[in-house]
Amino acid sequence: MQTTIHSLDYEARGVARVGGKTVFVQGALPLETVRIRITQEKASFALADTEAVIEASPFRVQAACAHYGECGGCALQHADFAAQVAYKQRVFEEQLQRIGKVQPTVYLPPIYGNAWGYRSRTRLSVHITREGEVRLGYQAKHSHRIVPVSQCPVLPPHVSGSLHLIREMLQQIHDQMPKNRLTAVDICAGEAITACSIQCSRPLPEPIARQTAERLQQHSGTAWQIGQQCQKQPAQAIAPKSAPELYYTLPEFNLHMPFRVGDFTQINLPMNAQMVARAVRLLDPQPHERIVDLFCGLGNFTLPLARSGARIIGIEGADSLTRRAQANARRNGLDNIEFSTADLFDTQPDTVAQWGHFDKMLLDPPRAGALAVVQSLHAPYLPERIVYVSCNPATLARDAAVLVGKGYAFRAAGILNLFPHTAHIEAVAWFERQA
């Protein structure tokens, strides 16, 4: 079947109309004529794969990764990098208008970032064949099958180039301890060291971990630490036991941000610095103000806001992250921050009243958004300005409609390409209370 693609959807699939029905086509780009194979037929839409590109988009390129198309990690490597950002911008605008019936007064310029080597944190799955061969990789698209990967160009070069050594370590562990269930590997690249933590059912042999840490450092020229996470226990260092801490910096705010394997941090640290800078500029904190940072995590926005001299309240749903944020504030000499733990998805109007009045608010929710918070906002506790950092345009659109309905002007919004070659869209939006 042949068809022409007219747009991309929020999952980076080409969108076509065939026989009056919408068809979502994997691997196709706007303006392309493609031959497709229907994979699922629904009452109102269909799913399809691209079998052949008959007329290619001028923005189609050769994917850089040998595993692209099979691995489920990336969705847009077949599109030119600048075109990817343009596609995401269009999806962002369309979702604001279609879902929220809103649009900002100004669309901020997109922030592009680096195309490759940006992902400082990743989790790879481990699969052991019946023959006892250890495979390390990512899940295939729409499947639990593991695609073995020998390299990954979105990882830092020293990590991508070391995957074979990590797989060899896992093979040694399995050969020595075949009943030790190895399930995943978490890799976190900080600014001074890279941590590799293995999820397992039993403690790992220290000699193999020590040998691998040494091999990784010799191979990559970067310090490594091997750790383990047995059952549901926190990650624990094995070799070397004493090593530099994981951390990232926010140089514009003179901040040193320690974190641990398992903590939530943005996976694109250079772009995170730009995102924080944009959000802080839009919120424009002043020394006399009382400001709340909701879903504050480790303090990624809280601490930069505190550098202004404003009184900052950080609220987070996970007590472990609240404690880490408090430690980070102390580490950076900031005493104008208070942190507390609360289930923000259960926010009620009386919760907002208990918080008291805030001059400004920063929201950085997960993909589910901040509906309970924005629905519960009411006079006399409406902040004058809200900056909303979103990782899901659909829930941002929904929540923006609520804020506009409460009398806020939607001043500006802009996307950040935190996850190149994927369909993921990060955005920052600014809302101002109207008199």
Side-chain angles (χ1 to χ4, degrees):
M1 182 185 302
Q2 184 172 309
T3 188
T4 299
I5 307 299
H6 60 76
S7 63
L8 285 189
D9 77 341
Y10 66 95
E11 293 186 26
R13 299 173 299 189
V15 181
R17 295 285 292 179
V18 178
K21 180 183 288 189
T22 299
V23 181
F24 300 100
V25 184
Q26 197 74 44
L29 296 175
L31 307 179
E32 290 190 327
T33 300
V34 294
R35 187 169 70 247
I36 65 173
R37 176 177 58 86
I38 301 294
T39 56
Q40 289 188 47
E41 190 83 51
K42 304 288 186 179
S44 58
F45 68 93
L47 304 181
D49 287 337
T50 300
E51 286 194 324
V53 178
I54 298 167
E55 291 185 24
S57 163
F59 304 113
R60 177 173 284 276
V61 297
Q62 180 66 38
C65 180
H67 308 292
Y68 183 66
E70 187 179 14
C71 170
C74 293
L76 275 170
Q77 280 196 30
H78 59 294
D80 172 77
F81 180 62
Q84 291 181 30
V85 179
Y87 293 146
K88 292 181 181 186
Q89 178 71 29
R90 185 67 196 98
V91 169
F92 179 60
E93 295 177 14
E94 187 273 335
Q95 294 218 320
L96 288 178
Q97 294 165 15
R98 181 177 59 83
I99 297 172
K101 308 285 191 294
V102 295
Q103 59 179 330
T105 304
V106 174
Y107 279 106
L108 302 172
I111 299 178
Y112 287 69
N114 296 321
W116 304 107
Y118 66 84
R119 190 178 183 109
S120 63
R121 178 169 56 85
T122 192
R123 171 173 290 178
L124 295 107
S125 297
V126 178
H127 173 69
I128 300 172
T129 68
R130 291 181 180 179
E131 295 75 23
E133 180 190 354
V134 174
R135 294 180 177 175
L136 181 67
Y138 295 110
Q139 287 188 344
K141 293 182 185 295
H142 310 297
S143 170
H144 294 295
R145 181 175 62 85
I146 305 303
V147 177
V149 298
S150 56
Q151 53 83 40
C152 177
V154 302
L155 297 178
H158 78 279
V159 175
S160 177
S162 299
L163 294 181
H164 68 289
L165 296 178
I166 295 170
R167 195 211 69 80
E168 288 174 13
M169 172 183 64
L170 297 172
Q171 187 69 62
Q172 283 184 280
I173 294 170
H174 176 70
D175 291 345
Q176 184 172 318
M177 305 177 67
K179 292 186 178 180
N180 193 345
R181 187 166 179 266
L182 309 174
T183 56
V185 174
D186 289 311
I187 301 176
C188 297
E191 295 192 16
I193 196 168
T194 298
C196 173
S197 181
I198 302 161
Q199 294 188 15
C200 50
S201 60
R202 300 181 183 184
L204 301 175
E206 185 174 330
I208 293 177
R210 184 170 58 252
Q211 180 190 50
T212 302
E214 292 170 356
R215 290 182 69 197
L216 287 168
Q217 181 159 349
Q218 291 169 0
H219 176 75
S220 67
T222 303
W224 285 75
Q225 184 178 53
I226 306 298
Q228 64 187 4
Q229 187 174 0
C230 294
Q231 309 283 349
K232 295 183 179 180
Q233 298 299 314
Q236 176 186 21
I238 306 174
K241 293 187 183 297
S242 178
E245 65 184 354
L246 284 168
Y247 70 90
Y248 65 93
T249 58
L250 293 170
E252 183 173 339
F253 303 96
N254 191 27
L255 290 170
H256 178 102
M257 302 289 288
F259 65 97
R260 297 173 183 165
V261 175
D263 286 346
F264 175 80
T265 58
Q266 291 291 350
I267 68 165
N268 189 332
L269 295 179
M271 281 291 284
N272 176 65
Q274 295 196 58
M275 178 174 67
V276 169
R278 172 172 276 187
V280 171
R281 283 195 297 270
L282 290 175
L283 200 61
D284 190 24
Q286 300 299 314
H288 63 278
E289 292 175 331
R290 185 171 184 258
I291 299 173
V292 66
D293 176 12
L294 300 181
F295 307 93
C296 69
L298 294 171
N300 189 49
F301 293 97
T302 328
L303 274 61
L305 289 170
R307 284 292 192 217
S308 69
R311 191 69 191 170
I312 312 297
I313 313 297
I315 305 177
E316 166 58 41
D319 189 56
S320 60
L321 287 179
T322 304
R323 292 194 299 271
R324 302 284 292 122
Q326 291 169 334
N328 283 349
R330 290 193 298 270
R331 173 67 179 268
N332 287 278
L334 293 166
D335 60 4
N336 56 326
I337 309 176
E338 298 174 26
F339 289 101
S340 63
T341 304
D343 181 2
L344 294 169
F345 294 106
D346 192 35
T347 302
Q348 305 291 331
D350 61 342
T351 310
V352 174
Q354 290 168 12
W355 291 341
H357 177 73
F358 291 107
D359 297 289
K360 293 172 181 175
M361 174 181 288
L362 188 138
L363 292 164
D364 182 23
R367 289 186 61 80
L371 184 60
V373 172
V374 297
Q375 285 183 329
S376 298
L377 292 176
H378 63 281
Y381 306 106
L382 295 169
E384 293 302 313
R385 180 174 296 186
I386 297 173
V387 169
Y388 191 131
V389 181
S390 167
C391 58
N392 184 349
T395 52
L396 171 61
R398 177 200 66 197
D399 296 348
V402 174
L403 291 173
V404 170
K406 289 179 181 286
Y408 283 88
F410 191 179
R411 294 293 191 204
I415 68 169
L416 303 98
N417 194 25
L418 256 71
F419 302 81
H421 311 295
T422 76
H424 184 96
I425 300 172
E426 196 87 10
V428 177
W430 163 26
F431 301 88
E432 195 79 14
R433 189 181 174 198
Q434 299 184 97

